[in-house]
C-alpha cells in the first residue's frame, strides 16, 4: 500500500528567520567598521588635495614671482588672473575640486601659519572639531 507522501521543497519560516538574524548580526558588526574607514579615506583625500595645491602654488610662485592673492584664490591655478603676465598654467590637471564633503577649500594669502593657508573645514563644515569633523590644513 502506497501512502500519499508529500515532499516539502524550500525552507521553513524558522530557517529563514535564523538566516536573517545571522545576516543582521554580521551587518551590525561589519557596517560600523566599514563606515569608519570611509571617513578616514575622505580625510586622506583632503590631505592629498591640499598637498597637490601646495605644489601647484609653488610652481605658480616660480613662474609669476608671487603667490595668488586671497581674492584670486585657488582658481588662479587654472585661469590666468588679469594683470599676471608670466602665468604659464594651468598648474593643476583638472579644475579645483571641492573638498570630499562638497565644500570649497579656503585659501588665504598671506597666511596666519605660513606664506599661505589652505583649509578644509571637515565633514561638519565648521572651524575646529574632532575626528572627521576636524579641520584639515596645510600647516
Amino acid at each position: 500500500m502506497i501512502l500519499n507522501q508529500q515532499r516539502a521543497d524550500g525552507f521553513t519560516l524558522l530557517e529563514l528567520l535564523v538566516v536573517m538574524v545571522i545576516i543582521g548580526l554580521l551587518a551590525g558588526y561589519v557596517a560600523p567598521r566599514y563606515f569608519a574607514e570611509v571617513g578616514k579615506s575622505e580625510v586622506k583625500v583632503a590631505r592629498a588635495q591640499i598637498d597637490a595645491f601646495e605644489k601647484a602654488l609653488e610652481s605658480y610662485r616660480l613662474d609669476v614671482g608671487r603667490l595668488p592673492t586671497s581674492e584670486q584664490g585657488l582658481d588662479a591655478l587654472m585661469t590666468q588672473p588679469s594683470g599676471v603676465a608670466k602665468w604659464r598654467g594651468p598648474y593643476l590637471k583638472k579644475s579645483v575640486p571641492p573638498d570630499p564633503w562638497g565644500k570649497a577649500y579656503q585659501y588665504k594669502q598671506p597666511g596666519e601659519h605660513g606664506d599661505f593657508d589652505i583649509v578644509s573645514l571637515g565633514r561638519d563644515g565648521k572651524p575646529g572639531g574632532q575626528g572627521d569633523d576636524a579641520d584639515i590644513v596645510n600647516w
Side-chain angles (χ1 to χ4, degrees), residues 77-92:
L77 299 173
M78 292 302 297
T79 307
Q80 183 173 3
S82 60
V84 178
K86 296 180 182 178
W87 191 86
R88 291 191 179 101
Y91 296 93
L92 296 171

Side-chain angles (χ1 to χ4, degrees), residues 41-62:
S41 67
E42 290 172 332
V43 170
K44 288 179 183 178
V45 166
R47 285 195 176 125
Q49 288 176 335
I50 287 174
D51 185 54
F53 296 150
E54 286 181 306
K55 291 174 182 167
L57 285 165
E58 290 303 326
S59 294
Y60 181 99
R61 183 187 343 217
L62 288 172

